[in-house]
Amino acid sequence: APYYRQIADGMIAGARATGASIGAVVDLVEVPGALEIPTAIGLAASRNLYDGYVALGCVIRGETTHYDIVCGESARGLQELALHYALAIGNGILTVENTDQAVVRADPHGQNKGGGAAAAALHLIALKRGWESRTAGGPDAAATPRDVILLAGEIDGPVGA
């Protein structure tokens, strides 16, 4: 959702870079705002168009309760889609108090929340593919391939954990 163009551009750049790092094909679909993101993903999912989805947007608190509605309903919509239809969705909709917070989080050389959302979607795609390739109840049904987890970070957690 390109409501705040500079912020959206930073998040898109981060998500694209993460996708490109593993050779993923990325399509950009823009919608008017954060509330429309779940609907757009639902429409694409109904056509089986993509392996996964990265929801990018920004909601900045204003003077009314509209912020709470947009934040809650966009997150709820994404979660319902992911759970009900087994979709791999990385949620990168920023919910912040002010523009400065959004700029820091959107910066692909800073907190890179767009890249983080793309990494989450890629991780879920890898998990889904790994589980789909196994037979239920087979000898390796309880084992998770260790290389799948590496998409989203260190497999054994931080050193000293």
Side-chain angles (χ1 to χ4, degrees):
Y3 200 78
Y4 300 100
R5 185 83 260 165
Q6 174 194 2
I7 295 161
D9 287 347
M11 295 194 51
I12 291 165
R16 284 190 183 278
T18 298
S21 73
I22 60 117
V25 175
V26 177
D27 286 345
L28 175 63
V29 177
E30 292 190 345
V31 296
L35 282 175
E36 290 77 32
I37 295 171
T39 303
I41 290 174
L43 292 169
S46 73
R47 302 293 309 251
N48 241 0
L49 296 177
Y50 302 101
D51 293 325
Y53 304 88
V54 180
L56 301 176
C58 180
V59 185
I60 299 175
R61 185 180 298 279
E63 296 176 0
T64 69
T65 58
H66 183 68
Y67 170 87
D68 299 315
I69 293 167
V70 174
C71 294
E73 292 303 307
S74 61
R76 183 188 60 78
L78 293 175
Q79 193 67 8
E80 283 185 8
L81 284 169
L83 294 172
H84 191 268
Y85 298 104
L87 300 179
I89 302 174
N91 184 351
I93 300 176
L94 299 178
T95 54
V96 296
E97 298 295 321
N98 56 57
T99 303
D100 291 340
Q101 289 177 350
V103 168
V104 169
R105 286 160 177 77
D107 184 354
H109 305 291
Q111 290 188 13
N112 193 19
K113 297 297 185 179
L122 291 167
H123 182 92
L124 293 170
I125 291 166
L127 285 174
K128 186 174 180 179
R129 286 179 180 171
W131 288 329
E132 287 173 346
S133 68
R134 290 194 244 162
T135 314
D140 65 347
T144 300
R146 291 176 66 82
D147 62 333
V148 169
I149 296 171
L150 291 177
L151 284 173
E154 296 298 322
I155 194 159
D156 296 319
V159 176

